[in-house]
Amino acid sequence: MSKSERNQRNVIIVYADDLGFGDLSCYGSHQISTPNLDRLCAEGLKFTNAYSTSAVCTPSRYSILTGRYPFRNSRAHILPGDAGCIISPELDTMPKLFQRAGYHTGIVGKWHLGLGDGSHPIDWNQEINLTPVDLGFDESFIFPATADRVPCVYVEGRKVVNLDPDDPIEVSYEEECPFDDIPTYHKNPEMLEMRSSHGHDMSIVGGIGRIGYMRGGSKAVWKDEDLAETFLSRALRFINDSQNTEQPFFLYYALHQPHVPRVPSARFRGATALGPRGDVIAELDWCVGQLIEELRRLDILDDTMIIFSSDNGPVLDDGYVDRAYELNGTHRAAGPLRGGKYSKFDGGTRIPFIVSCPNLVRRGESGALISQADLFASFAHMLDMPLEPESAVDSQDMYAALIGEDPVGREELMVEDVTCGKMLRRGNWAYLSPSEGAPFMGNVRIETGLSMDPQLYNMDYDIGQQTNVAWDYENVVKDMEERIQRIVRSEGTR
Ligand code: NG6
Ligand code: CA
């Protein structure tokens, strides 16, 4: 029996960072051209009601890998670069599921779920005792947190790449810089190649102000313009290595684009009229194109399931002066949605979601309601692998929706904004539970959707969430609020 007959298709999740619902040409952008993703979309299924579980990174990534809502983990918030790993090695994960099914598993790219078991501060010069290789990934080539957080190094398996014992790496997230011999934002402005608009004013690494302080490791520090090609070449290497095994593969390819700081490789500088943010989206699209080309060359494209999505919605100015606002023109990064990254409005969590597998998945568009947390249980179905009751407790089997056989998907799903406030989507209703906080984040210029008033929007007629009809549908509001409270108290909804 061939691998595909046993449903053992290769699976690749390509996970962009901060890419909005309107950022791709196949999702309506006229200003940014993404021909490779457009082709993937044309040959696959384009979802219009798919959500991440959070409007920021760490919690969404926690959910996609564990099938659990972020509120179940009190540490699932944007992590500093020296945080301990928030996924305990005992917890079941999606890559472990693939391992159990006999797959060769790998991660390449952004991690941002913490490293080390947290029992002591990480010594970046030694082997790290808890990394993706302990959580189900046979191979791991990552950067620890985000491109704007130190340490700006790659970690392969358990070790920082290109360690030099004569130049040890030290990292600090204290407010005051504990290292007096390193360049910092306020002390050495002459070294800056990109200015910050807010934050990002601690260490200067590669001419860019970062979050956190870092000393040493000069041979290990990445070059920002090389990140895309480095990760891409590692992803291709993983796929090629997998061909030498008898196993199918699962690859989680977590792109770093278009998160700040946006530094495209030379060939994409000026690729769009939108400045660096547009250019790195063009670069991201090229990376996906290269990946697809390699699968075609290896003659495995038709039986490889590719899922392309993003961890949260878009932001233009996320802390660096890269003219994202000024050059944005008429581009709408969140498409017709209100808000963006951080937000409780749909712009925060409704994201592009494309599924392609020419020999399996129907082509077209799907309005099925689906959460990224559902991938876990859906793959368990595909692989015909049972799940323990305590595994992936918020993951629903949406396999039929993923391959285009079920146009409806979930009855309801829940998401969180940056403050962990909740939104429940059920059918055409989006209910934003009251929570504290400013309605507008001035520094990033995004509407948060935070309000002490309940908000209810009819997504069929009001995709831009302009008309709050909560007062007209008090019963719906009451019911949806109670439902949120029940989910939050429950052990899971699978
Ligand atoms: C914020 C950062 C922002 C980004 C975000 C995390 C500042 C002022 N802002 O705190 O630049 O790094 O965290 O983004 O530091 S995420 O996509 O990883 O969630
Ligand atoms: Ca993100």
Side-chain angles (χ1 to χ4, degrees):
M1 214 170 22
S2 74
K3 287 176 187 173
S4 62
E5 279 169 273
R6 275 180 290 146
N7 272 341
Q8 291 220 316
R9 290 186 167 79
N10 304 313
V11 175
I12 303 178
I13 297 177
V14 184
Y15 208 36
D17 193 1
D18 298 1
L19 187 76
F21 192 69
D23 272 328
L24 304 176
S25 29
C26 49
Y27 274 81
S29 174
H30 298 296
Q31 281 75 22
I32 303 177
S33 167
T34 50
N36 295 294
L37 281 157
D38 294 357
R39 205 171 316 126
L40 188 78
C41 196
E43 289 166 8
L45 194 55
K46 167 187 170 183
F47 285 78
T48 53
N49 273 305
Y51 288 81
S52 62
T53 63
S54 164
V56 288
C57 204
T58 301
S60 287
R61 284 161 201 266
Y62 171 78
S63 289
I64 199 169
L65 292 180
T66 66
R68 301 164 77 84
Y69 279 143
F71 74 84
R72 299 197 188 279
N73 186 325
S74 59
R75 293 184 293 159
H77 307 289
I78 300 172
L79 294 174
D82 63 348
C85 184
I86 65 164
I87 302 181
S88 107
E90 287 79 45
L91 201 67
D92 200 12
T93 64
M94 185 155 62
K96 285 185 189 171
L97 168 77
F98 279 104
Q99 276 184 337
R100 291 199 292 277
Y103 276 61
H104 183 54
T105 60
I107 172 172
V108 173
K110 168 170 175 167
W111 177 236
H112 211 188
L113 289 161
L115 291 169
D117 68 7
S119 60
H120 52 82
I122 303 179
D123 180 347
W124 296 95
N125 309 289
Q126 305 291 328
E127 292 213 331
I128 302 168
N129 67 3
L130 180 46
T131 77
V133 298
D134 300 292
L135 301 169
F137 291 108
D138 298 325
E139 315 285 341
S140 168
F141 185 91
I142 57 170
F143 69 46
T146 58
D148 56 358
R149 283 168 175 73
V150 302
C152 303
V153 296
Y154 300 110
V155 175
E156 184 168 16
R158 296 187 187 285
K159 287 187 92 162
V160 170
V161 177
N162 291 334
L163 273 177
D164 176 358
D166 295 329
D167 184 23
I169 298 171
E170 291 170 81
V171 169
S172 166
Y173 273 79
E174 279 161 40
E175 233 161 83
E176 288 290 309
C177 179
F179 317 121
D180 45 20
D181 56 347
I182 61 163
T184 57
Y185 192 85
H186 297 289
K187 197 175 69 184
N188 305 92
E190 74 288 354
M191 290 178 68
L192 289 171
E193 283 161 31
M194 190 193 288
R195 298 197 66 83
S196 308
S197 58
H198 53 275
H200 307 105
D201 58 355
M202 299 162 99
S203 261
I204 297 176
V205 182
I208 297 176
R210 314 274 172 168
I211 309 173
Y213 297 104
M214 169 177 184
R215 180 173 192 267
S218 59
K219 288 198 183 112
V221 167
W222 72 55
K223 284 202 177 61
D224 292 273
E225 58 267 38
D226 293 346
L227 283 168
E229 293 201 21
T230 303
F231 286 142
L232 173 65
S233 70
R234 288 300 183 132
L236 300 187
R237 191 196 291 184
F238 171 81
I239 292 169
N240 277 283
D241 288 350
S242 296
Q243 299 314 294
N244 302 325
T245 70
E246 287 293 286
Q247 302 164 279
F249 66 79
F250 166 64
L251 171 65
Y252 172 69
Y253 178 25
L255 304 169
H256 71 294
Q257 304 111 322
H259 195 283
V260 294
R262 302 170 182 130
V263 185
S265 60
R267 78 166 88 180
F268 287 97
R269 232 171 280 150
T272 67
L274 273 65
R277 184 169 190 280
D279 296 351
V280 298
I281 294 175
E283 181 188 59
L284 166 166
D285 178 69
W286 175 83
C287 291
V288 175
Q290 295 293 303
L291 183 80
I292 294 171
E293 261 327 296
E294 190 69 358
L295 298 170
R296 201 191 309 277
R297 193 183 68 76
L298 293 168
D299 203 19
I300 53 175
L301 180 62
D302 289 350
D303 273 311
T304 298
M305 184 187 271
I306 302 175
I307 297 184
F308 176 87
S309 197
S310 171
D311 64 343
N312 53 253
V315 52
L316 297 182
D317 179 351
D318 207 13
Y320 292 98
V321 181
D322 62 5
R323 303 208 296 152
Y325 247 95
E326 293 75 358
L327 298 175
N328 188 53
T330 55
H331 176 64
R332 296 179 73 183
L337 308 177
R338 188 169 178 182
K341 179 175 181 176
Y342 307 108
S343 205
K344 199 181 325 204
F345 289 127
D346 261 33
T349 48
R350 207 203 290 198
I351 30 60
F353 192 94
I354 302 168
V355 183
S356 148
C357 184
N359 281 346
L360 176 69
V361 175
R362 289 195 195 173
R363 295 175 184 208
E365 194 167 305
S366 172
L369 187 61
I370 189 160
S371 162
Q372 288 174 356
D374 297 333
L375 291 175
F376 199 141
S378 306
F379 288 136
H381 175 139
M382 178 175 96
L383 300 168
D384 202 13
M385 297 289 292
L387 281 183
E388 296 294 329
E390 65 273 17
S391 290
V393 294
D394 299 302
S395 186
Q396 294 183 10
D397 174 5
M398 288 294 131
Y399 183 67
L402 279 184
I403 63 172
E405 284 179 358
D406 166 20
V408 178
R410 273 178 175 253
E411 261 175 46
E412 61 176 26
L413 58 76
M414 196 174 77
V415 310
E416 298 185 12
D417 63 56
V418 65
T419 70
C420 305
K422 309 289 190 284
M423 186 283 280
L424 188 71
R425 174 79 199 265
R426 180 190 286 166
N428 55 332
W429 292 124
Y431 168 66
L432 284 61
S433 183
S435 58
E436 273 177 24
F440 190 71
M441 270 172 89
N443 51 4
V444 296
R445 297 186 247 188
I446 287 177
E447 287 187 289
T448 60
L450 301 181
S451 165
M452 291 311 286
D453 286 334
Q455 296 171 73
L456 184 71
Y457 299 98
N458 186 328
M459 302 308 288
D460 277 355
Y461 305 116
D462 184 19
I463 193 172
Q465 299 183 310
Q466 294 297 315
T467 308
N468 180 7
V469 295
W471 311 120
D472 302 329
Y473 294 90
E474 284 182 4
N475 289 342
V476 177
V477 166
K478 184 166 171 285
D479 193 52
M480 291 181 84
E481 178 60 38
E482 279 171 14
R483 182 64 190 137
I484 289 176
Q485 299 309 325
R486 267 204 309 282
I487 295 173
V488 171
R489 282 195 306 268
S490 76
E491 299 285 313
T493 52
R494 179 157 63 81

